[in-house]
């Protein structure tokens, strides 16, 4: 449900993007199955005015394979670079102020902190204390890579304290809002949107 919600919100909001807001560089952090990163190029594929570089990163090698398969199944494998790496670590500096759109469906489940570094499939859900170990680290990286007026959409649950996350991003120069909420099983999913103001 979280991947579907994230993609749906990005696609719905894209209808209102002005010419200056059309992404030139799109990055998904934690691409997992590849569903979200396949959705944005699909939206842009038939619009010749929208030329967008797309990058998907995931720390799990198996997730990168799944992302590539999803892209291939949608004839998008030539449109997206897929990199097996730790968030944006290899790209820091190179992407500074250059990313117009970020999608981030983090591991947000509250777990013991040691589970975060366990690797494997646990990387898909283990979020550590408050479910924020990965979230806080990635938001710090992303803050420097987003272009002026660029935006980021991310999933959070109530236990992650989304209001606290948004306040931190406001201190970093972003407008922050919850733009969608959905109940899924026993979780309340929120989509947070951050737009760089400076």
């Amino acid at each position: 449900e979280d991947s579907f919600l994230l993609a749906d919100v990005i696609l719905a909001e894209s209808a209102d993007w002005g010419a200056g807001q059309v992404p030139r560089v799109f990055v998904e952090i934690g691409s997992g199955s590849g569903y979200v990163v396949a959705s944005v190029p699909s939206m842009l594929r038939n619009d010749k005015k929208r030329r967008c570089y797309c990058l998907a990163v995931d720390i799990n090698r198996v997730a990168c394979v799944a992302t590539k398969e999803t892209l291939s199944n949608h004839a998008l494998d030539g449109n997206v670079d897929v990199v097996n790496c730790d968030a944006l670590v290899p790209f820091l500096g190179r992407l500074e102020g250059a990313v117009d759109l970020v999608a981030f469906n983090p591991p947000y489940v509250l777990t013991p902190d040691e589970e975060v570094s366990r690797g494997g499939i646990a990387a898909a859900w283990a979020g550590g204390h408050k479910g924020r170990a990965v979230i806080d680290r990635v938001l710090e990286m992303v803050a420097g890579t987003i272009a002026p007026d660029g935006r980021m959409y991310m999933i959070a649950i109530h236990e992650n304290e989304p209001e606290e996350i948004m306040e931190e991003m406001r201190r970093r120069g972003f407008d922050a809002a919850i733009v969608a909420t959905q109940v899924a099983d026993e979780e309340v999913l929120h989509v947070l949107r951050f737009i760089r103001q400076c």
Side-chain angles (χ1 to χ4, degrees):
E1 291 93 345
D2 48 9
S3 294
F4 295 146
L5 178 62
L6 186 59
D8 287 348
V9 168
I10 293 171
L11 297 181
E13 292 218 339
S14 72
D16 296 326
W17 293 346
Q21 295 173 307
V22 173
R24 294 158 299 169
V25 178
F26 166 54
V27 176
E28 182 177 14
I29 301 169
S31 58
S33 70
Y35 177 79
V36 176
V37 77
S39 298
V40 172
S42 293
M43 174 189 75
L44 301 174
R45 177 168 49 182
N46 297 322
D47 189 339
K48 301 299 181 194
K49 295 177 184 174
R50 297 184 177 193
R51 298 197 176 271
C52 181
Y53 170 70
C54 300
L55 172 66
V57 299
D58 203 295
I59 197 167
N60 187 319
R61 185 188 61 77
V62 176
C64 290
V65 171
T67 295
K68 288 180 180 181
E69 287 177 3
T70 299
L71 292 166
S72 178
N73 290 339
H74 291 85
L76 291 165
D77 39 338
N79 297 64
V80 180
D81 287 333
V82 180
V83 180
N84 177 207
C85 63
D86 179 7
L88 295 178
V89 170
F91 303 99
L92 294 176
R94 287 189 277 174
L95 288 178
E96 187 171 350
V99 180
D100 300 298
L101 178 61
V102 175
F104 181 36
N105 185 358
Y108 51 68
V109 177
L110 283 63
T111 65
D113 283 337
E114 56 270 18
E115 195 168 333
V116 175
S117 59
R118 198 173 80 190
I121 193 65
W125 72 76
H129 178 66
K130 294 197 295 189
R132 295 265 298 273
V134 176
I135 289 172
D136 291 342
R137 188 169 158 266
V138 168
L139 289 179
E140 186 174 347
M141 285 185 219
V142 167
T145 66
I146 296 180
D149 296 321
R151 52 185 62 208
M152 174 179 183
Y153 295 88
M154 70 165 276
I155 294 286
I157 58 173
H158 176 72
E159 292 79 4
N160 302 145
E161 300 185 9
E163 292 294 339
E164 186 179 279
I165 293 170
M166 291 190 295
E167 189 53 41
E168 180 58 36
M169 291 302 280
R170 289 183 187 113
R171 283 194 289 271
R172 291 176 172 153
F174 289 81
D175 175 68
I178 294 175
V179 293
T181 299
Q182 177 178 303
V183 177
D185 295 324
E186 297 178 4
E187 297 173 330
V188 178
L189 302 171
H190 302 288
V191 178
L192 280 57
R193 181 189 65 201
F194 309 117
I195 302 177
R196 187 170 184 182
Q197 302 296 294
C198 55

